[in-house]
Amino acid sequence: MTQQRNILVTSALPYANGSLHLGHLLETIQTDIWVRFQNLRGNHCIYVCADDAHGTAIMLTAETLGITPEQQIANMQAEHEQDYQGFLINFDNFYSTHSEENKVFAEEIYLKLRENGHIASREITQLFDPEKQLFLADRYIKGSCPKCKTDDQYGDNCEVCGATYSPTELINPRSTISGATPIEKSSTHYFFTLPAFEKMLKEWTRSGRLQDQVANKLGEWLEMGLQEWDISRDAPYFGFEIPDAPGKYFYVWLDAPIGYMASFQHYCNRSGVNFNDYWAEDSSAELYHFIGKDIINFHGLFWPAMLESAGYRKPSAIYAHGFLTVNGKKMSKSRGTFIKAQTYLEYLDAEYLRYYFCAKLSSAVDDIDLNLEDFTQRVNSDLVGKVINIASRSAKFITKGHDGVLSAQLDNETLWQQAVEKSKEIAGFYEQREYSKAIREIMALADATNEYFDSQQPWKLAKEAGKEQQVLAVSSQCINLFRLIMLYLKPVLPETAAKAEAFLNDSLDWSVELQPLLSHKINKFKPLMTRVDTDKVEAMVAASQQSQAQAATPAKQAQSQSSSNEIEFEDFAKIDLRIAEIVNAEVIDGADKLLKLTLSLGEDGQRQVMAGIKSAYQPEQLLGKLTVMVANLKPRKMKFGVSEGMVLAAGPGGKDIWLLEPDQGAQAGMVVK
């Protein structure tokens, strides 16, 4: 084995203002598997995290509940820790950003930034709630969009027309906290001079520490030019007060990543590990952050710049992942697919989800889908039907007549060596976070083992006189292959692996040379895992629906029921219908129903649209045809590209989908009235 590596790993901090859901678990499961793998290979890998415990939202929630912010974050931390334990997330330290260690680090780093000339201050004007006596973040302001005049839009962008604006531009703005009309008020704010680090960040973001997709995105921001970052908030605010600035507090995103350092310091205080061995500028240890793609700007730009100025080391790499969808769609409260961690654990085994996520995850930043039907089938087929089945069907031949003692030699040395030789490849996939590739190789070993067992037919041999040793040899071969498979799955299925170790009477250790168990006594086989029960999956979804329904107010429920069936005329009037000419049509590789169309809108240019009309037309049949399209539909990023509108057609479907024929009375770009 190679020399032991010293590694510190973090995952993004959950906000201490709400329960964990399966989207949160996607990240921590991915991280936990990687950490367990590193330790299983003999490395020293430490995993720390914390609750993100500051900000206006926590202060307001505590006020609503009639408790202190400290009690609110303590309650949420206890709940979060219980949920993480339920999903077998093995933190070495789980802490809180509202800690003395974090206060010390935040103040120290801020003072270093100020000393180095990287803190500026100036007056800014914001909207202020005169009733609550606090400055309002964009999400706490609503009003009518200054562009399309739609009501009930947030203070930074319109969800209807897509316009972006400042809160002061809203028509009839109101505070969502008190309902009062905000007033403009000036205040001194403190800024981190991020543009000073532009050269360093351009080099650092292209140094191989980030996935290409992330580096490219950050590159876009760098090319547009960096802006100074507002790191202060005015009282009242739940957080740490800025040194030498009474009534000014650190913005939550300043001390949140510093929480990684604070949690690690807390670990060091009780473990004897030296903090500077991991965080000093010249540290030889490795540091990795696992995060969601929505917070890459904080981790990929602000955080390394702060560390650079403060004299600390920067991350060895930042690993971003995509979002979680359920049944192909964004998690939905009404459909019961917005599933809390607690709700899942009430009905299903945590290892089912750990395995399913692992089977879908790659090193890319792509979203992954939890398809509940596929989830049930895959777990039952792979884990119960293939892996566990090897042990259950082989063990009985060893227990009966051989007192549980394996044969003295392997029946098929070649098959064993092939499985051992896969160790390096599978380990490489884990290391690179190509979990789905690792699972494919592991399941291929399970398939090969089951095929070997079936080809030898030990159940028939057991009925023949003098074949006892052959039956033992075949079964022992399968038990040894099962042991390798469970070793490779141990980072994913720690509890099942522990049960397998008890059955095998042996530890699963990936840091030593892999040798077969020969003339070795195993214990009586006990079921290691049960099948996923579809009834429990359905019950989990139903429970999620009921939980969200109970949380909704009667007014919101009535509004939802009304809006699901009817729209107002003003809504319909916003739709821009145009005549478009199809100037190009292409087949999309891998798409069953879609064609890629290039539509001409005359003087308004061309649009690319993905249209589900492949069943009715060959691409060449569409050239020159006219269609009605929704021209102001927000572009949608799809699996096969970006669709910039929607084609309207008539007919019952299938082969009967009808577009317009070229006509002198209709021209590309015409508005449909």
Side-chain angles (χ1 to χ4, degrees), residues 316-370:
S316 305
I318 297 172
Y319 298 137
H321 60 83
F323 298 139
L324 177 69
T325 59
V326 180
N327 293 337
K329 297 180 180 179
K330 184 179 178 179
M331 288 192 290
S332 165
K333 294 180 178 180
S334 62
R335 287 191 293 266
T337 55
F338 189 92
I339 303 168
K340 291 183 179 180
Q342 296 168 322
T343 307
Y344 176 97
L345 291 171
E346 287 175 15
Y347 294 91
L348 297 169
D349 191 308
E351 288 192 319
Y352 297 158
L353 192 68
R354 289 177 65 97
Y355 177 77
Y356 190 77
F357 280 170
C358 189
K360 305 269 279 191
L361 278 164
S362 73
S363 63
V365 195
D366 302 329
D367 297 347
I368 75 165
D369 184 50
L370 169 58

Side-chain angles (χ1 to χ4, degrees), residues 80-335:
H80 289 175
E81 290 191 45
Q82 183 177 6
D83 289 345
Y84 282 136
Q85 289 170 6
F87 278 94
L88 312 177
I89 309 300
N90 192 28
F91 294 118
D92 290 286
N93 197 72
F94 190 85
Y95 207 36
S96 169
T97 59
H98 192 65
S99 65
E100 185 58 31
E101 292 92 339
N102 204 36
K103 184 175 186 292
V104 169
F105 278 118
E107 291 179 352
E108 175 207 319
I109 289 174
Y110 169 79
L111 291 173
K112 284 183 179 179
L113 300 183
R114 190 176 72 178
E115 181 183 331
N116 294 334
H118 296 139
I119 296 295
S121 64
R122 62 177 179 270
E123 289 276 310
I124 68 168
T125 300
Q126 296 172 277
L127 290 184
F128 182 81
D129 186 325
E131 193 169 306
K132 291 294 292 184
Q133 288 292 298
L134 55 78
F135 285 95
L136 295 169
D138 295 348
R139 66 183 179 278
Y140 294 122
I141 307 166
K142 279 191 172 183
S144 298
C145 171
K147 302 293 192 294
C148 72
K149 308 300 187 289
T150 303
D151 192 21
D152 206 37
Q153 299 306 303
Y154 283 106
D156 55 355
N157 70 89
C158 177
E159 295 180 343
V160 176
C161 73
T164 58
Y165 41 76
S166 69
T168 55
E169 294 179 86
L170 277 176
I171 301 169
N172 297 323
R174 67 182 182 280
S175 165
T176 62
I177 301 172
S178 69
T181 300
I183 61 174
E184 292 189 13
K185 188 173 181 179
S186 297
S187 172
T188 300
H189 273 233
Y190 294 85
F191 295 81
F192 175 45
T193 58
L194 189 62
F197 299 89
E198 185 173 300
K199 184 177 183 295
M200 181 276 288
L201 289 171
K202 284 184 175 179
E203 294 174 357
W204 188 81
T205 55
R206 295 294 182 182
S207 63
R209 299 167 186 257
L210 306 170
Q211 296 128 300
D212 289 343
Q213 292 160 279
V214 172
N216 291 338
K217 185 62 180 177
L218 295 181
E220 293 176 14
W221 288 331
L222 286 163
E223 288 304 316
M224 288 189 293
L226 299 174
Q227 303 295 316
E228 291 187 339
W229 180 38
D230 189 344
I231 61 165
S232 65
R233 294 296 184 267
D234 291 279
Y237 191 81
F238 183 61
F240 296 138
E241 198 167 33
I242 298 176
D244 308 319
K248 307 292 181 180
Y249 290 79
F250 288 127
Y251 173 44
V252 60
W253 262 109
L254 179 119
D255 67 63
I258 296 172
Y260 299 143
M261 304 171 78
S263 184
F264 183 64
Q265 180 66 71
H266 188 253
Y267 170 81
C268 292
N269 292 343
R270 59 185 177 79
S271 67
V273 171
N274 188 311
F275 178 89
N276 289 328
D277 287 347
Y278 288 80
W279 283 98
E281 203 164 15
D282 60 352
S283 170
S284 61
E286 301 169 50
L287 170 63
Y288 300 99
H289 299 314
F290 284 73
I291 63 167
K293 64 182 180 181
D294 54 328
I295 53 175
I296 58 174
N297 56 333
F298 294 105
H299 286 78
L301 296 176
F302 304 161
W303 180 228
M306 287 168 55
L307 293 169
E308 172 84 3
S309 180
Y312 287 105
R313 60 87 49 82
K314 292 182 279 296
S316 305
I318 297 172
Y319 298 137
H321 60 83
F323 298 139
L324 177 69
T325 59
V326 180
N327 293 337
K329 297 180 180 179
K330 184 179 178 179
M331 288 192 290
S332 165
K333 294 180 178 180
S334 62
R335 287 191 293 266

